[in-house]
Amino acid sequence: MKLTDAKINDLQAKDEEYRVKCTKAPGLSIKVMPSGRKSFIVDGRIKGGRTRRFTIGTHPSLSASDAREKAQHLMSMMQRGEDPKEVRLERDAIKAMQSKTLATTFKEFLSVRNLKPKTVKDYQGTLNTVFAAWLNKPINKITRKDVTDLFVDTRDNRGQATAVKAFRILSAIINFAKADDVGGVRLLTENPVDVLKEKRVDRKVRQRDRYLDETEIEKLMQFDLVERTFHQKPTHGVSDQGMNYVMLVLFTGMRKGEVANLKWEDVDFKKKTIVARNTKNGSDHYVPMSKMIQWKLETQKKVSDLKGSAWVFPRRLGDGPMTEPKSQLARICKATGIKFRLHDLRRTFATHATRAGTSYELIQKALNHKSGSVTNSYIIGNIDMMRPVFDTVFLAYSKMYLDDEDYERLLDPEGSHEIIE
């Protein structure tokens, strides 16, 4: 019979469910449950494919005429070879994808990218400060104007470097979202951060070029080897560990995190090498010991052994490596009158290695800069090739600190060690 609202109302519940087909709309029927609930059902076959059954609504919430219209739409789709279920799932997926917020997309970004914990923390801090107001905003609703306005606001109130870094991170997250598609339909077809490039917005960050000159290196070594060591009542508050850490960065050129995360199992006093694991460029970094590096590590071993730690620079409380010694660095700067950052010491290493005649390629390897050269893979086997770089820097620094007579004694292998001690 033709299903109408009146006829459906007359249908009575029975002990078992039953169905009544509609003669006006092929595939449509009404199912009556023992409870009295009445549901519209559509049965059909996809052209050249499988059968499908859909519950499209309940009566009287859905009228008979509306049910016939929905049934005709579904049957037409199946006759065209379309699967209404797949179409619905695809539509829902597109809707869900289009409602993804910046926070949700960032979470997915982190789950896929293999980022170091420090990088993750840095990214999270940036999003929670610069993009706090956008976290719950659908990512496809971030406009080019939004980007331009917030970049300018961030630059003017937080600084150029912060703005450049923040929008570099945002661009990476949006590029990640651009790769998503449902059935060939992409959530995003452009990255709104590109507007900064197209408008030629200045995104240059002045590179720091600070390094310690000869006088400053002399002051730092004088403080470490004389004033700090022999002062009877020190008031500077600089610890042995804090000083050893700073001097290792100065004499190795290693990144601050590479030094902080050293383990004693990666220090070989016999072969006179140390190995930094899990470095920024993903490779192990082998560093030969100069005399000063060896002496500092031997000194630090005594400090570390007091805690029985596996870490070269253990944290003060609990197990694990220490974090960046900001308070110790501040005390060293105050005691010496030299204002510097830890990364300035890495730059100092490179600068004085260059001035001493070391080639650019060797300095690159000594600093563990990433390079596409296949020769990088042979650095472990050619560790002795790197040793002169670190010895050269040691001698260059020593010449700034020692008088001519002591420096000549340093060049004598038999007398070199007692100069340090």
Side-chain angles (χ1 to χ4, degrees):
M1 68 178 180
K2 176 183 177 181
L3 293 178
T4 63
D5 291 329
K7 290 179 179 179
I8 293 173
N9 287 332
D10 290 339
L11 296 174
Q12 299 299 312
K14 299 180 180 180
D15 292 339
E16 295 182 358
E17 68 177 66
Y18 67 95
R19 291 170 60 183
V20 178
K21 293 183 179 180
C22 180
T23 56
K24 185 70 174 178
L28 177 65
S29 62
I30 186 78
K31 181 172 70 173
V32 184
M33 300 294 291
S35 64
R37 180 184 177 89
K38 299 170 183 178
S39 304
F40 289 107
I41 308 295
V42 176
D43 290 288
R45 180 181 292 276
I46 302 167
K47 182 179 180 180
R50 59 178 296 178
T51 59
R52 281 293 194 193
R53 172 173 290 178
F54 305 96
T55 300
I56 59 175
T58 59
H59 189 272
S61 298
L62 182 65
S63 67
S65 60
D66 287 341
R68 287 195 300 272
E69 185 177 337
K70 284 191 173 185
Q72 289 169 357
H73 175 68
L74 290 173
M75 295 300 287
S76 296
M77 290 179 66
M78 287 187 278
Q79 288 171 8
R80 294 194 300 268
E82 299 176 9
D83 186 341
K85 183 178 180 180
E86 294 297 329
V87 171
R88 186 182 73 242
L89 291 174
E90 187 174 297
R91 183 182 65 244
D92 291 345
I94 291 174
K95 184 178 179 180
M97 186 170 64
Q98 290 177 336
S99 65
K100 277 186 181 179
T101 63
L102 176 58
T104 301
T105 306
F106 177 58
K107 187 176 180 180
E108 293 179 1
F109 173 84
L110 292 181
S111 69
V112 173
R113 298 288 294 274
N114 186 25
L115 301 176
K116 295 181 183 296
K118 182 180 177 181
T119 303
V120 171
K121 185 177 180 180
D122 185 36
Y123 281 18
Q124 288 172 332
T126 298
L127 259 72
N128 290 333
T129 51
V130 177
F131 302 112
W134 289 7
L135 290 176
N136 294 320
K137 186 173 187 175
I139 197 165
N140 66 335
K141 300 298 183 184
I142 298 174
T143 68
R144 293 159 67 89
K145 185 176 186 303
D146 290 336
V147 168
T148 304
D149 291 346
L150 186 57
F151 179 89
V152 172
D153 180 74
T154 305
R155 179 197 65 195
D156 293 347
N157 293 287
R158 298 179 184 273
Q160 176 84 352
T162 299
V164 170
K165 182 180 79 169
F167 282 85
R168 175 178 53 80
I169 295 171
L170 178 65
S171 181
I173 296 170
I174 294 178
N175 280 335
F176 171 82
K178 279 178 64 179
D180 286 338
D181 72 88
V182 176
V185 178
R186 291 203 171 197
L187 165 66
L188 297 170
T189 56
E190 71 165 358
N191 189 332
V193 181
D194 290 344
V195 70
L196 300 176
K197 178 180 179 181
E198 293 168 10
K199 287 189 174 183
R200 297 186 178 180
V201 176
D202 181 15
R203 289 170 294 153
K204 294 179 182 177
V205 178
R206 185 179 67 83
Q207 281 192 323
R208 293 192 176 99
D209 54 7
R210 170 81 169 103
Y211 68 92
L212 274 60
D213 61 23
E214 295 183 5
T215 301
E216 291 170 325
I217 291 174
E218 180 185 1
K219 283 184 180 180
L220 190 61
M221 293 183 68
Q222 173 73 13
F223 172 72
D224 179 31
L225 302 177
V226 179
E227 297 173 16
R228 191 183 70 85
T229 305
F230 296 107
H231 200 293
Q232 292 184 348
K233 296 181 179 180
T235 58
H236 47 67
V238 177
S239 68
D240 288 340
Q241 175 159 298
M243 196 71 217
N244 290 338
Y245 174 90
V246 168
M247 295 302 279
L248 269 181
V249 176
L250 177 67
F251 277 83
T252 64
M254 293 168 68
R255 296 180 177 93
K256 55 188 180 182
E258 293 172 351
V259 174
N261 288 286
L262 284 175
K263 285 187 171 183
W264 287 116
E265 65 186 36
D266 295 319
V267 176
D268 190 330
F269 286 109
K270 185 176 181 180
K271 294 182 179 179
K272 296 186 179 181
T273 60
I274 55 180
V275 187
R277 308 289 185 186
N278 195 26
T279 63
K280 184 177 181 180
N281 68 15
S283 64
D284 290 342
H285 179 36
Y286 285 73
V287 177
M289 293 182 193
S290 66
K291 291 182 174 63
M292 178 62 84
I293 295 172
Q294 180 179 351
W295 180 59
K296 279 297 172 183
L297 285 170
E298 288 171 348
T299 303
Q300 182 58 26
K301 189 72 168 67
K302 298 175 184 177
V303 177
S304 178
D305 283 349
L306 293 176
K307 290 203 65 177
S309 177
W311 301 93
V312 175
F313 294 97
R315 63 180 56 182
R316 189 168 62 88
L317 298 175
D319 191 24
M322 73 173 186
T323 56
E324 182 179 337
K326 293 181 180 179
S327 61
Q328 283 293 306
L329 181 63
R331 290 169 181 170
I332 292 171
C333 289
K334 182 178 180 181
T336 60
I338 310 168
K339 188 176 181 179
F340 64 92
R341 300 168 180 260
L342 285 171
H343 196 78
D344 296 339
L345 302 181
R346 182 169 161 84
R347 199 177 295 112
T348 299
F349 178 95
T351 299
H352 290 287
T354 301
R355 290 181 175 179
T358 306
S359 70
Y360 174 77
E361 290 75 14
L362 281 178
I363 293 173
Q364 259 199 321
K365 288 182 172 63
L367 294 175
N368 196 29
H369 280 163
K370 194 168 186 178
S371 170
S373 172
V374 295
T375 58
N376 269 6
S377 61
Y378 304 125
I379 189 63
I380 298 175
N382 294 307
I383 190 69
D384 287 339
M385 177 182 69
M386 302 299 301
R387 199 172 296 280
V389 181
F390 295 88
D391 288 340
T392 295
V393 170
F394 165 64
L395 290 173
Y397 290 165
S398 299
K399 191 171 185 179
M400 300 170 194
Y401 168 69
L402 300 173
D403 58 31
D404 291 342
E405 183 178 345
D406 284 339
Y407 183 72
E408 290 299 324
R409 289 173 59 203
L410 180 63
L411 298 179
D412 176 7
E414 295 183 0
S416 59
H417 195 63
E418 60 185 61
I419 292 296
I420 300 174
E421 297 182 335

